[in-house]
Amino acid sequence: MSRHWGALAEALSLICGSGGAAYATRLYPEHSPAAVGALITIFGAFFFSLATRLMPGREKRQPAKARWNRRKWKWVLVLLVPSIFQGQVQQAALKRVDVGTLMTVMTLGALGLATWRLVSAPQRSGRGLHVLWFLIGLVGVAMLARPFTGGTGTWGLLLVGLAAVIGVNGTIASGKLTELGLLSRVVELNCWAGACLVGVPILIWTDDRWLTVSVLSTVAVTSLLNMIGNQLHIRAFDLVQSDDGVISTVKCVNPVLACLVGVVIGTGGSPGLYGWIGAGLVVGASLAALRAFHRHGLHIVPQTVKGAPWKDLLPGTAPNGGAWGGIPPTDVWLRSVWKPDDQGPWKYEFA
């Protein structure tokens, strides 16, 4: 029964993430994406730090202090540099596309990473056939976005593609930082770096009238939804315990959930018949890739769950649900980065 509650909690977590992103678009076109993204970055950093300090049992989940050598700083910068601009990229994209399209393209980015891992797996017959999953997902995105035929324009496609690339980068770097026991500290550093280096300067230089009750309340609701989504994500892992296939399966359904959120909130309207079919194709391709991971033994189940380092992850409270936020499918890893003989519990989410 706990598996079903865990699946429900994860689905609600994804809905909160999409709902927060979609709710912020109500400020357009009266306010610029730059100002809205800056506010979300600053509020997100505040709520992230607040959540990490108020979570029960935080002291037990804190990783041991470690010396930050050159190798660790390299992975910190790999995550930090692109991700501090994620809020700006996503808000600029959301002015041109609906939240369903954004989340579907980001899912396609993760699917591309999963496809690459399946294709590069050594000594497996027919591994080239796994490219089919990415191609099916690409067709699905084209049906949903309808590029150059009255749907998403060139700039919209470029921006959502850039957001997907940042997401893939975050997935790779987050897995490595989790292995090193640094992720929670790096995520907080990333939040405040984005707030101070990007958010504050934009608010100082912009002539946008953002200091209003409407703007601040909207951004606060967006940040709160992200924080609630994070807590549900953590609770989902607690409920399913070692059955991480449940979480990964629910994450694969994110494109359809995001489209539903867009319809309910009214940002972008209904995707239409072809749009729903396209979102379904991305979901089907993601599920097929996930099954291939399990079938080929690439998805490693940890030996222990309680007290594992993944409990220190707080993806949903990052600005705009940061790049480390479990973009489906999360069960991907890179042979050149993560050792297959490493049974560390961080692989519970990123293996």
Side-chain angles (χ1 to χ4, degrees):
M1 190 64 181
S2 61
R3 294 172 67 254
H4 296 91
W5 286 112
L8 177 61
E10 183 62 24
L12 292 175
S13 170
L14 296 173
I15 290 173
C16 285
S18 297
Y23 190 73
T25 61
R26 68 195 296 261
L27 296 175
Y28 305 142
E30 289 81 7
H31 301 277
S32 66
V36 175
L39 285 168
I40 291 177
T41 302
I42 295 172
F43 272 69
F46 172 77
F47 281 114
F48 180 89
S49 297
L50 184 65
T52 55
R53 283 153 180 77
L54 295 181
M55 283 183 63
R58 170 179 171 267
E59 294 79 7
K60 298 180 180 179
R61 291 195 294 267
Q62 285 297 320
K65 296 294 182 181
R67 182 180 179 182
W68 287 36
N69 54 30
R70 181 181 300 179
R71 174 169 170 260
K72 293 177 180 179
W73 273 112
K74 178 189 73 174
W75 287 106
V76 169
L77 293 175
V78 167
L79 176 64
L80 189 67
V81 174
S83 295
I84 62 175
F85 300 102
Q86 188 178 28
Q88 292 297 313
V89 172
Q90 287 194 359
Q91 290 307 312
L94 284 169
K95 189 174 182 179
R96 295 168 173 83
V97 304
D98 58 88
V99 67
T101 301
L102 174 66
M103 296 300 179
T104 302
V105 174
M106 294 188 71
T107 300
L108 180 67
L111 178 59
L113 182 59
T115 301
W116 180 88
R117 178 62 191 97
L118 287 167
V119 171
S120 63
Q123 300 177 354
R124 300 195 184 279
S125 60
R127 57 188 181 182
L129 294 176
H130 293 299
V131 176
L132 180 64
W133 309 132
F134 180 77
L135 295 178
I136 291 175
L138 193 63
V139 172
V141 168
M143 293 179 67
L144 177 63
R146 295 175 291 115
F148 317 118
T149 59
T152 306
T154 304
W155 275 110
L157 289 173
L158 290 175
L159 288 169
V160 295
L162 180 58
V165 170
I166 294 175
V168 170
N169 173 82
T171 300
I172 299 171
S174 296
K176 191 61 179 180
L177 290 169
T178 307
E179 179 188 2
L180 298 174
L182 299 174
L183 187 60
S184 60
R185 282 176 280 170
V186 173
V187 169
E188 187 167 13
L189 175 63
N190 178 69
C191 289
W192 285 110
C196 297
L197 299 178
V198 178
V200 172
I202 287 177
L203 293 182
I204 292 175
W205 294 332
T206 185
D207 56 357
D208 198 26
R209 296 182 179 180
W210 54 267
L211 195 59
T212 65
V213 174
S214 175
V215 173
L216 295 178
S217 62
T218 299
V219 173
V221 169
T222 296
S223 300
L224 282 172
L225 284 173
N226 286 334
M227 185 174 67
I228 293 171
N230 161 75
Q231 301 304 321
L232 288 169
H233 178 65
I234 298 296
R235 181 57 180 161
F237 273 110
D238 283 334
L239 288 169
V240 301
Q241 297 185 3
S242 62
D243 194 354
D244 52 339
V246 174
I247 300 296
S248 300
T249 300
V250 175
K251 286 180 179 297
C252 291
V253 190
N254 194 29
V256 171
L257 294 177
C259 288
L260 288 172
V261 168
V263 171
V264 172
I265 296 182
T267 56
S270 175
L273 176 60
Y274 290 108
W276 286 114
I277 294 175
L281 287 176
V282 177
V283 170
S286 299
L287 289 172
L290 174 62
R291 287 179 62 87
F293 264 86
H294 284 279
R295 186 169 61 252
H296 294 310
L298 299 177
H299 195 283
I300 300 175
V301 179
Q303 301 300 317
T304 179
V305 175
K306 295 299 183 181
W310 61 261
K311 286 202 172 197
D312 219 28
L313 306 181
L314 295 170
T317 50
N320 256 354
W324 45 86
I327 300 170
T330 55
D331 53 330
V332 293
W333 56 280
L334 298 180
R335 182 163 55 91
S336 61
V337 177
W338 297 335
K339 298 178 180 179
D341 57 345
D342 179 9
Q343 298 293 327
W346 61 269
K347 285 190 175 181
Y348 185 63
E349 182 169 358
F350 294 102

